[in-house]
Amino acid sequence: YPIAKPAYMGLLGELVVYQDRSDMKNQKLRVLDLRTGEDRIALEGIEVFGLVDGEVRCVVRKEDYEIYRVEPVTGARELLGTFSVDHEGDYAHYSFASDQILLRFTNSGGTFWSFSLTDGTVTAHTVPKNIREMVAGDDAVFLLAYDEDRQFSTAIPSQENGVYRVDLTDGSCEQVYAGIDDQTKIYVESDD
């Protein structure tokens, strides 16, 4: 199927949900039906989307961050909450957990923020090194963290380099793997 300029694609049954970046000032959430070939716009002006528990969730950036649940077939949307953070960044990275939206900036070092859809609170979390990757699942987030030598773009060796697991229910943090370098990547096999 020919589709627009895609970024961030996901499957919901026979629907391909994707972010159309043809117009960077007005990115769109699009849905392609694999049975009919129909490709339609579900929501305009999105920053990013995620598939969580069989739902489509979108972040729309206005003065604050707005979180929407979008029904992919009808385009109906429900505002789940809004939040802001006391940090400006050059590029935002997001991850979606069951009841949380996670946000970090390229220049936020070892800090990321979680927004609770349950009670509307925003919590700042910090690990000892710069966060390179962030992957959420259920009520936890996994972070790849190390500092980098700017001259050579390689990881600076340290005992604090590693993959960290932050429990989003209580904020506890543990280093789950220490043997990492600048070639280490995080992949998700399952939500647990």
Side-chain angles (χ1 to χ4, degrees), residues 104 130-135 142-146 148 153-155 161-164 176-187:
R104 74 174 178 88
N130 286 316
I131 299 170
R132 304 297 173 173
E133 292 186 41
M134 175 175 70
V135 178
F142 293 87
L143 307 162
L144 176 62
Y146 60 87
E148 187 174 78
S153 297
T154 58
N161 291 353
V163 176
Y164 289 82
V176 294
Y177 187 72
I180 67 103
D181 60 25
D182 52 278
Q183 299 301 307
T184 304
K185 302 292 180 198
I186 298 176
Y187 298 95

Side-chain angles (χ1 to χ4, degrees), residues 12 15 17 29 31 40 42 56 70-76:
L12 279 179
L15 302 175
V17 181
L29 176 71
V31 179
R40 63 191 169 282
V56 180
V70 178
E71 208 298 311
V73 176
T74 65

Side-chain angles (χ1 to χ4, degrees), residues 1-99:
Y1 297 97
I3 59 175
K5 188 176 180 183
Y8 309 118
M9 299 177 74
L11 286 173
L12 279 179
E14 294 181 340
L15 302 175
V16 176
V17 181
Y18 70 98
Q19 184 170 341
D20 176 2
R21 286 190 165 178
S22 298
D23 179 357
M24 290 300 287
K25 293 181 181 175
N26 184 24
Q27 297 182 58
K28 298 167 183 68
L29 176 71
R30 297 185 71 107
V31 179
L32 169 68
D33 187 317
L34 293 173
R35 288 173 292 149
T36 66
E38 179 187 5
D39 187 353
R40 63 191 169 282
I41 297 170
L43 184 62
E44 294 192 43
I46 71 167
E47 177 99 356
V48 70
F49 83 94
L51 301 179
V52 183
D53 301 330
E55 296 180 351
V56 180
R57 296 194 184 150
C58 290
V59 175
V60 175
R61 179 80 192 267
K62 294 185 179 175
E63 288 183 23
D64 293 328
Y65 296 89
E66 298 177 352
I67 313 304
Y68 290 91
R69 177 183 7 240
V70 178
E71 208 298 311
V73 176
T74 65
R77 61 183 174 263
E78 173 189 1
L79 180 64
L80 299 176
T82 62
F83 73 96
S84 62
V85 295
D86 292 331
H87 185 88
E88 287 297 320
D90 52 352
Y91 187 77
H93 302 269
Y94 301 88
S95 196
F96 296 82
S98 296
D99 295 318

Side-chain angles (χ1 to χ4, degrees), residues 116-137:
S116 170
L117 295 171
T118 307
D119 62 16
T121 59
V122 176
T123 305
H125 307 268
T126 302
V127 294
K129 297 293 179 180
N130 286 316
I131 299 170
R132 304 297 173 173
E133 292 186 41
M134 175 175 70
V135 178

Side-chain angles (χ1 to χ4, degrees), residues 163-178:
V163 176
Y164 289 82
R165 180 186 184 278
V166 176
D167 186 322
L168 296 171
T169 60
D170 63 13
S172 63
C173 176
E174 66 176 319
Q175 184 184 40
V176 294
Y177 187 72

